[in-house]
Amino acid sequence: QVQLVESGGGSVQAGGSLRLSCAVSGPIYNWYCMGWFRQAPGKEREGVAGINTGGGNTDYADSVKGRFTISQDNAKNTVYLQMNNLKPEDTGVYYCAVRIKFYGRCSAWAEYNYWGQGTQVTVSS
């Protein structure tokens, strides 16, 4: 059983930074991709960043490239999302997710299998 718990959300001013953490229960080799998603008020959920847990290759949504960084610490079974230069449009609930499927890029957002409960990020102008 895979469980994911997000933390690190909060409220910041535009231009500020936050680091989200996702604590994953279970061996790291049980999943192929870890990803971060977000859902803004009144919007569909969208993929933000993905990382291959074996090779470390990363993918990002165009809207966050150059500002967000996804990373992993396999010893701690934890995935992070460092968010810099935050903008009001980054506001939303951020979810950590796991994809079991082996083949394909971790930016295949529709293929993720397990989800955390979400953590709120609010960026004020």
Side-chain angles (χ1 to χ4, degrees):
Q1 182 178 354
V2 177
Q3 292 184 322
L4 305 90
V5 180
E6 302 97 332
S7 62
S11 298
V12 298
Q13 296 287 324
S17 298
L18 286 171
R19 189 173 77 156
L20 306 182
S21 298
C22 175
V24 184
S25 64
I28 193 68
Y29 57 80
N30 283 343
W31 54 91
Y32 183 65
C33 297
M34 296 293 301
W36 286 97
F37 295 72
R38 68 186 180 190
Q39 187 168 16
K43 302 291 186 180
E44 297 291 323
R45 184 178 63 193
E46 63 176 345
V48 174
I51 185 168
N52 181 286
T53 58
N57 295 332
T58 58
D59 289 296
Y60 297 94
D62 289 341
S63 60
V64 306
K65 286 180 179 178
R67 300 189 297 121
F68 290 10
T69 303
I70 186 171
S71 61
Q72 62 186 349
D73 185 340
N74 288 346
K76 298 180 179 179
N77 281 5
T78 301
V79 177
Y80 304 96
L81 185 67
Q82 179 67 46
M83 305 185 294
N84 297 326
N85 192 23
L86 284 161
K87 304 175 180 180
E89 52 263 43
D90 295 318
T91 293
V93 178
Y94 283 68
Y95 299 90
C96 180
V98 167
R99 195 188 86 191
I100 302 298
K101 182 180 178 181
F102 182 81
Y103 175 79
R105 298 188 67 88
C106 294
S107 56
W109 309 117
E111 298 178 345
Y112 282 75
N113 305 100
Y114 302 101
W115 302 84
Q117 83 286 356
T119 185
Q120 177 70 43
V121 171
T122 302
V123 184
S124 59
S125 59

